[in-house]
Amino acid sequence: MPLGLTDDATLRHEAPGTGCAGARCETPSTLSDAVRAKVETHPCYSETAHLRFARMHVAVAPACNIQCNYCNRKFDCANESRPGVVSEVLNPDQALRKVKAVAARIPQLTVMGIAGPGDPLANPKRTFETLRRVGAEMPGIKLCLSTNGLMLPRYVDEIAALGVDHVTITINAVDPHIAAKIYAWVVWEGRRLEGEEAAAILIAQQLKGLSMLVERGILVKVNSVMVPGVNDHHLKAVSRLIKAKGAFLHNIMPLISAPEHGTVFGLTGQRGPTDAELAALRDACADGIAVMRHCKQCRADAIGLLGEDRNAEFTMDKVAAMEAADAALPVPAPLRMAVATRDGKAVDVHFGHAREFSVYEVSAQGARFVERRSAAAYCRGAEDCGDGADDLTRTIAMLSDCAAVVCARIGLAPWERLEAAGLRPNGEHGWEAVEPALAAVYAEIRAAAPLAQTARRSAG
Ligand code: CLF
Ligand code: SF4
């Protein structure tokens, strides 16, 4: 039985807002609507979203302003990726072209992040130009940034103005004595500093930047690289402090230190944690803050669902070929979809109880509200939630121009009636926000059906 399709028994017992609210769950029911809307389609900020939504990184930031002992500059920034592969460095124009090509082919794409191959804020012109252009031309895509935090306070206002909702700061220690064992040097105000002096400046900037982001309503994830014997015993203190400062999520990543990567830690034999050590530390931190457990330490040019590496399909030469092919194709028209919603914010009405439906036009760029249409609520209880009702026939006729009907739940009999009428019923997004739910349904339809099959119910 598809998710969200109820039999009468589950219909009677299902209630909105149920579900895990523990530390393991990144989208507990206590989240405000605004925060929930920000995280529920972000594959890194929500454990459930990572199965359905994709992210892509554009590698526009080659330079860095610090030296981490687990990083070799030949490879990507290890604060948000694993070392071992060099990215194709893009300029902002190429980045925008790549995002467009990916969005047209991976309809699950919801997030574009900048995470290297160096530090985004050590390359502010390229980073902000990319964010500005992608934000302006692709408003349905969330913007994300990952930084070592050194230059964060200087750029927080620009980040907020560009509509970046999610920022990751890598904070490996909040004690300069410990941090000095992790960072070789920091370039600060034109000088290269080392030791605890360098570490203290970096930590102060990271924590100041964190507070400034939180004040502006930007969700902050903190990444920490777990280095056994160096900062493992200290990361619980990091977790407590970032929680107190308003961080949303803590992502403790294992050190990767293969000697062939040529990093300081790799060459000095510093080991990474075992799976058991990592799990124990994450558990120890999870009583204070939500802890991320599904990070894939992806590349600075990663594309696809987390754990999926489709970047080889989107090298710039392939993007150019796609652009040439796309120029000969029509742009897919938006799809019309009906939503059973009381207030227009959440998918919160059972199909059989809907007295009206909100109709939207949905495309890769987002959802546009069109109108509300009245329907007779035909279901008067479990015994009546079946087929053959005149009201159901009228409802189906009234929605016949829609590609999909999205509702909190739906019984088997009306499901079959809708399908027989050529509408696609969907009850998988009960009590989720309307727009992300529509984006997910749109992605499913575009991924499953060739353009020709959905053209009949396209808007316009
Ligand atoms: Fe990229 Fe990072 Fe944004 Fe995600 S990744 S910039 S928050 S869109 Fe995600 Fe990848 Fe782990 Fe990063 S799985 S490495 S946490
Ligand atoms: Fe490497 Fe990233 Fe550290 Fe810079 S911030 S040294 S690119 S891991």
Side-chain angles (χ1 to χ4, degrees):
M1 181 183 290
L3 209 65
L5 170 62
T6 59
D7 56 24
D8 291 338
T10 54
L11 168 63
R12 282 194 296 275
H13 297 298
E14 293 266 347
T18 55
C20 164
R24 224 193 135 90
C25 177
E26 284 92 17
T27 52
S29 55
T30 50
L31 294 182
S32 69
D33 286 351
V35 172
R36 184 179 294 277
K38 284 182 187 175
V39 301
E40 64 191 358
T41 57
H42 195 306
C44 304
Y45 283 68
S46 160
E47 192 159 0
T48 46
H50 94 275
L51 301 170
R52 288 191 288 155
F53 297 103
R55 54 77 185 98
M56 69 175 292
H57 290 162
V58 288
V60 295
C64 193
N65 44 17
I66 70 173
Q67 179 62 59
C68 306
N69 286 335
Y70 46 73
C71 176
N72 179 342
R73 294 304 168 87
K74 279 196 293 186
F75 304 125
D76 290 341
C77 173
N79 281 345
E80 185 80 3
S81 65
R82 57 181 151 71
V85 231
V86 183
S87 302
E88 180 183 44
V89 175
L90 308 178
N91 63 38
D93 188 55
Q94 291 170 316
L96 176 64
R97 289 169 54 205
K98 189 180 254 199
V99 178
K100 285 181 174 173
V102 172
R105 284 159 184 82
I106 303 183
Q108 298 92 337
L109 182 76
T110 50
V111 176
M112 185 215 73
I114 303 180
D119 186 78
L121 300 183
N123 304 264
K125 260 185 89 174
R126 301 167 68 93
T127 293
F128 292 131
E129 174 73 3
T130 303
L131 292 169
R132 186 183 63 70
R133 293 183 64 183
V134 173
E137 296 206 26
M138 313 203 67
I141 301 284
K142 287 183 192 302
L143 305 175
C144 195
L145 199 64
S146 175
T147 175
N148 61 39
L150 181 66
M151 299 310 293
L152 196 46
R154 178 183 296 181
Y155 294 119
V156 163
D157 284 331
E158 199 157 352
I159 290 168
L162 286 167
V164 178
D165 268 344
H166 302 78
V167 173
T168 296
I169 314 170
T170 299
I171 303 178
N172 296 314
V174 291
D175 175 342
H177 182 65
I178 296 171
K181 297 176 186 163
I182 299 174
Y183 304 105
W185 48 257
V186 165
V187 174
W188 181 244
E189 294 178 343
R191 291 168 55 221
R192 186 167 134 151
L193 306 177
E194 297 181 1
E196 292 188 26
E197 182 190 12
I201 289 169
L202 178 61
I203 292 166
Q205 290 290 98
Q206 291 169 334
L207 296 178
K208 186 175 175 191
L210 166 55
S211 297
M212 292 172 76
L213 289 167
V214 171
E215 278 164 22
R216 287 156 181 79
I218 295 171
L219 288 187
V220 180
K221 170 166 73 65
V222 169
N223 283 2
S224 299
V225 179
M226 179 183 179
V227 188
V230 176
N231 70 348
D232 49 347
H233 59 286
H234 172 64
L235 284 176
K236 211 170 163 192
V238 173
S239 216
R240 278 195 299 270
L241 183 60
I242 60 165
K243 160 86 176 171
K245 288 186 169 291
F248 180 75
L249 191 60
H250 195 185
N251 175 22
I252 301 169
M253 308 158 79
L255 171 72
I256 298 172
S257 57
E260 61 268 26
H261 295 150
T263 64
V264 171
F265 282 150
L267 296 173
T268 56
Q270 170 65 54
R271 72 172 179 92
T274 63
D275 290 349
E277 287 170 334
L278 181 64
L281 179 59
R282 285 173 171 170
D283 286 345
C285 293
D287 59 358
I289 188 169
V291 167
M292 181 177 185
R293 297 170 195 264
H294 62 286
C295 175
K296 303 294 185 221
Q297 290 181 272
C298 31
R299 302 163 48 129
D301 58 0
I303 293 174
L305 299 173
L306 297 192
E308 208 179 45
D309 245 353
R310 296 184 59 179
N311 63 302
E313 295 172 39
F314 295 96
T315 53
M316 281 316 294
D317 55 337
K318 290 181 182 157
V319 167
M322 290 169 193
E323 289 169 335
D326 288 351
L329 282 177
V331 176
L335 295 176
R336 199 163 287 158
M337 296 188 199
V339 184
T341 171
R342 276 189 192 84
D343 59 4
K345 290 182 182 162
V347 182
D348 57 0
V349 182
H350 184 285
F351 177 79
H353 300 164
R355 296 187 176 279
E356 59 180 7
F357 289 84
S358 293
V359 175
Y360 291 80
E361 283 181 4
V362 189
S363 68
Q365 277 68 47
R368 187 180 73 83
F369 174 76
V370 177
E371 62 189 3
R372 288 180 87 83
R373 294 182 190 169
S374 294
Y378 69 87
C379 179
R380 284 171 286 276
E383 68 288 346
D384 192 39
C385 192
D387 62 356
D390 286 348
D391 288 346
L392 175 56
T393 305
R394 280 196 292 274
T395 298
I396 291 173
M398 184 266 289
L399 299 177
S400 62
D401 60 331
C402 294
V405 180
V406 182
C407 51
R409 291 287 182 267
I410 182 168
L412 178 59
W415 176 287
E416 290 175 343
R417 290 278 305 279
L418 284 169
E419 269 192 337
L423 285 88
R424 191 181 177 112
N426 187 300
E428 293 180 21
H429 300 280
W431 297 281
E432 292 180 17
V434 167
E435 293 199 7
L438 289 175
V441 176
Y442 179 83
E444 280 165 28
I445 294 174
R446 285 291 184 225
L451 209 52
Q453 287 179 18
T454 51
R456 184 169 68 86
R457 293 175 194 281
S458 294

